[in-house]
Amino acid sequence: MQPYRATSPDGSKLAVASGRGAILETFSIESGIENIQTRYFIRPGIEIKDMSYSFTDAEVWGFGGLSATDKWVFSIIDLKHRCIDKSVQLIFNDIAKFDWSGKPLALYHTPYQINCFCVDSKGDLVYAVTQDSEGCYYLSKISL
């Protein structure tokens, strides 16, 4: 279901997030793979029936990408808009900051849709490809 992944620059930790709903898993990968925490912010809105699945009307977007520093995990995120609502122009315009146990620390709002991004090593600058409501793309630098 469209998982996103990010590794800490020092190579000791891995974060995996769901592309539908909002599930964030963090792992220590220093000596094997050890789960640090699994956090269910919003379970995916899916219905399982006869060995297949379908999305329900309640399905929200959730995580839209990850980036990491040695101290934090960042995600572009949309917990408001339902997947079936095609009239919404700008989704994924929030950036969430988590510690490596998956605890939410901050939520930053931007006026742009963030299509892809990365965070600098200090965790205070985001470099992103953004899009405005007119559909124009920009290479952006966002201070957190």
Side-chain angles (χ1 to χ4, degrees):
M1 306 226 357
Q2 303 172 340
Y4 296 98
R5 298 159 302 283
T7 306
S8 62
D10 67 7
S12 67
K13 295 178 283 296
L14 169 70
V16 179
S18 62
R20 296 285 186 117
I23 302 168
L24 178 63
E25 294 181 279
T26 53
F27 300 90
S28 170
I29 55 175
E30 289 180 286
S31 56
I33 301 173
E34 180 183 329
N35 182 262
I36 297 171
Q37 187 74 35
T38 299
R39 294 202 183 241
Y40 292 86
F41 298 101
I42 298 176
R43 291 186 183 271
I46 58 174
E47 188 175 274
I48 299 172
K49 187 176 183 180
D50 298 329
M51 302 287 286
S52 66
Y53 68 91
S54 61
F55 297 108
T56 68
D57 291 347
E59 177 72 10
V60 297
W61 288 109
F63 292 103
L66 292 178
S67 184
T69 69
D70 290 333
K71 292 183 180 181
W72 302 293
V73 178
F74 294 84
S75 177
I76 47 179
I77 194 165
D78 188 323
L79 302 178
K80 307 177 289 275
H81 298 107
R82 296 182 322 164
C83 298
I84 62 165
D85 188 356
K86 304 299 182 202
S87 67
V88 177
Q89 291 182 351
L90 295 178
I91 58 173
F92 297 115
N93 58 350
D94 291 336
I95 300 169
K97 179 180 180 181
F98 303 90
D99 66 15
W100 276 98
S101 69
K103 178 182 174 186
L105 301 174
L107 184 66
Y108 306 95
H109 180 74
T110 75
Y112 302 102
Q113 177 171 314
I114 303 167
N115 293 313
C116 58
F117 81 115
C118 65
V119 179
D120 75 334
S121 61
K122 293 180 184 177
D124 56 5
L125 282 176
V126 171
Y127 299 93
V129 175
T130 58
Q131 185 177 1
D132 66 16
S133 60
E134 303 295 317
C136 295
Y137 289 90
Y138 303 92
L139 183 56
S140 303
K141 182 167 75 170
I142 303 165
S143 295
L144 298 180

